[in-house]
Amino acid sequence: MQFPESWLREFCNPTLSTQQLAETLTMAGLEVEALDPVAPPFSGVVVGEIKSLEQHPNADRLRVCQVDVGQERLLNIVCGAPNARAGIRVPCALVGASLPPGVDGKPFLIKTGKLRGVESQGMLCSSRELHLSDDHGGLLELPGDAPLGQDIRRFLNLDDTLFTLKLTPNLAHCLSVFGVARELSALTGAPLITPAFVSATVSHDEKLPVRIVASDLCGRFTGRIIRNVNPKAVTPPWMVERLARCGQRSVAPLVDISNYVMFELGRPSHIFDLEKLHGGLTVRWGSTGEQLKLLNGTTVTVDRAVGVIADDAQVESLAGIMGGDSTAVSDETRHIYVEAAFWWPQAIAGRSRRFNFSTDAGHRFERGVDPGLTVEHVERITELVVAICGGEPGPMDDQAPNVPQRQPVTLRVARASKVIGMPLTQLQCASALRGLGLEVSEGDGTVTVVPPSYRFDLQIEEDLIEEVVRMVGYDKLPTTPPTGPIVPKLLSESRRGPFAVRRLLAGLGYQETINFSFVDERWERELAGNATPIRLMNPIASQMNVMRSSLLGSLLQVIKFNIDRRADRVRVFEVGSVFLRDATVESTDSTVEGFRQPTRVAGVAYGAVDRVQWGQRSRIADFFDVKGDIEALIAPRRARFEPAEHPAMHPGRCACVLIDGSPVGHVGELHPRWRQIWEFPAAPLMFELELDSVLKREIPVFASVTRYQAVERDLAVVVPESVSHAETMAAVWAANTGGLLRDAVLFDIYRGKSGVAVDATTGSTAGLSANEKSLTIRFRFISDEATLTESQIDNAMKNVMDVLASRLGARLRT
């Protein structure tokens, strides 16, 4: 929010310098972000009047002016401005004046000189030459009553300072010059000059019918008809100046008056062209599909979540945000309807952002605007309209179906002292709150406040504590070191931190990426099978309009980015949150009702297993390489991999990862359909796991090393082609070996051609049908009690073979 210091001091003028005033506001929570002078330094420029002028004898575009600057004699000044004429008063730089620096950074000094042979004793100035604006169309024309010879800085108040405040959302009552002055008065004790609202003299009895259908949208609606206004009147220079110093350009008198009162008192209002309205007004929620062309030229489509003001024919305004183009005032306007309303903040919040723009009105209404002064603010607008544009005011129409009822808030003095961290008395707390103009009642160790209608931020005890500390002064808070012991929060031994997971994946050759949680809706549909993703109301980009329920889409996009730049080997991973609908989740400090936000770890590998090297031949990574990375990631725990299906993965090359019997994620090759759509030369391999399961680890347990030697045996069996590795190993470990089996590894698979299989090691053949395969498993047996005997080993091997035969239909290979 920006405003000039001079306007603020009209309401409250403490004996503080500009810098002290800024420091006072900042230490009270109203951060002064910038202090800027209205005009750059210059001197020697005064008010002058052109008494007469004649054509320059040697230049067609120059004229010789006789200028009165309040001295004994007129000055002879050569000027080429197109608007130079007798009788106007303009800034005149005298000989010796110093104008603002030019592009070289040096001040421009005015000297007596000759232009085309005619002496010039000064310079007549435009706004641009004084660096007041970019207007260089001619001289800066001053009012006809400007005192001759007066310093232009004093006349135009150019030594004023522009304050720019950075306000937090709870300080909505300070979004006006008067609101800031009210705070300043409380902080300094300087008197506050409250505006006087004079009731207009009613000239007719006409009222515009207004019907409030949605009281949860509009709590109060006040309006008045003013007839026979002059929209072509000129906005007074003082109002144009103040609007400009608030960052608002002058448009037309009626629009300027509405904007002026908004900056002055903090209430946005709207002025309708009465003759463009069709019947009365209805305040209601929008209907799906209704359209409205706004004052900024855009056409929007509303729905049931957006409030509107409509007449009998169409929607005419977005409630609390922006008026419609069809009822805007213009130079042909004769009769107007002035409206000031209270819109419920929750009914306005976020609505303008849905249409990709923001307005001063929406910014204020969504934070809360005083519902108690709508009549007074319409009176203020009426006063200015009649004074500038003339007109005949009608009676006031005020409806208040649902005005907020302010609830008392109690502050415990002991609690305030504890939170603030310094001793406070009840008198200090009560005095601080009374200084803010709050209605205070005291009890035994308590102070109770009934918030005024303009304080939407005072709802709980902590809000009052904040007000007390603001009035006491943040700079007066003692510096107290913490006295409590600082105890580090250590992870359980059975759990590792996310950093360890990141470090391990980096050691496996993966590089970490950090991606947006907002993704393309197509990724959710195709890669996650999520038909109802969580949509964003205000996406940062059209292709990032939903929250992700999987990390895979983001990682594939990273792979695609690198491949497009001729990378032939890429391995990336991410540890991040995903967002799922879950009706069982309730709202807490860290959760949102109806949504679950688990953290996952995912990785994608593309290209060769290793970088090019001399020691081994290059090989493209396959499913088993990524499976091995997962096993290394969760070690020493063991995972089980079962065939599964996943929307993003190849139907026959995808597995569900189970730890302790519970599914924790998937691993597999990208589905051929998505590979073709993404235009990958080769299929990326990917995995996605629940991070909580990966973080768990087994606590090491001491075990003595056996003194007895292990024994290894190999077993080759023929099984149906459909038997998987997981089924085979499950059958092996299900056999009763008396606890002797310590390890089992499948190390050879081969299939025959045309029914004949040839062992690559021995050259022997075994009769295998087309739907069979041979598996060779190496077993490792050991006993902690004694050296194993042949009978023990044979018995264990027999039991294993029996289970394989009964479960899988296996037979010994011969």
Side-chain angles (χ1 to χ4, degrees), residues 67 84 112 126 133 180 233 237 273 275 294 333 338 349 429 468 481 585-586 601 613 621 643 677 716 735 751 802:
V67 181
T112 300
S126 66
S133 72
V180 176
D273 186 324
E275 293 181 306
L294 298 171
T333 298
V338 180
C429 295
V468 170
V585 177
E586 298 180 353
V601 54
Q613 57 167 299
I677 291 175
R751 298 170 177 85
D802 289 344

Side-chain angles (χ1 to χ4, degrees), residues 43 92 143 146 159 203 291 340 351 396 434 492 615 655 659 668 695 744 758 782 812-813:
S43 62
C92 177
D159 292 322
S203 302
Q291 290 191 328
R351 268 53 174 196
M396 190 77 69
R434 285 195 179 99
S492 168
I659 301 178
L695 296 181
V758 180
I782 193 169
L812 281 172
R813 193 186 74 196

Side-chain angles (χ1 to χ4, degrees), residues 273 276-278 292-293 295 314-316 324-328:
D273 186 324
K276 295 178 182 178
L277 291 174
H278 307 87
L292 169 66
K293 184 178 180 182
L295 289 172
Q314 61 189 11
V315 174
E316 299 293 0
D325 181 70
S326 63
T327 55

Side-chain angles (χ1 to χ4, degrees), residues 281-303:
L281 296 178
T282 301
V283 180
R284 58 175 173 82
W285 292 105
S287 299
T288 303
E290 285 184 313
Q291 290 191 328
L292 169 66
K293 184 178 180 182
L294 298 171
L295 289 172
N296 62 6
T298 62
T299 299
V300 298
T301 302
V302 304
D303 55 29

Side-chain angles (χ1 to χ4, degrees), residues 151-171:
D151 192 298
I152 202 72
R153 297 193 71 91
R154 180 182 173 190
F155 177 72
L156 294 179
N157 194 19
L158 298 182
D159 292 322
D160 202 356
T161 302
L162 299 182
F163 276 62
T164 301
L165 301 190
K166 185 178 181 181
L167 299 176
T168 52
N170 64 309
L171 295 174

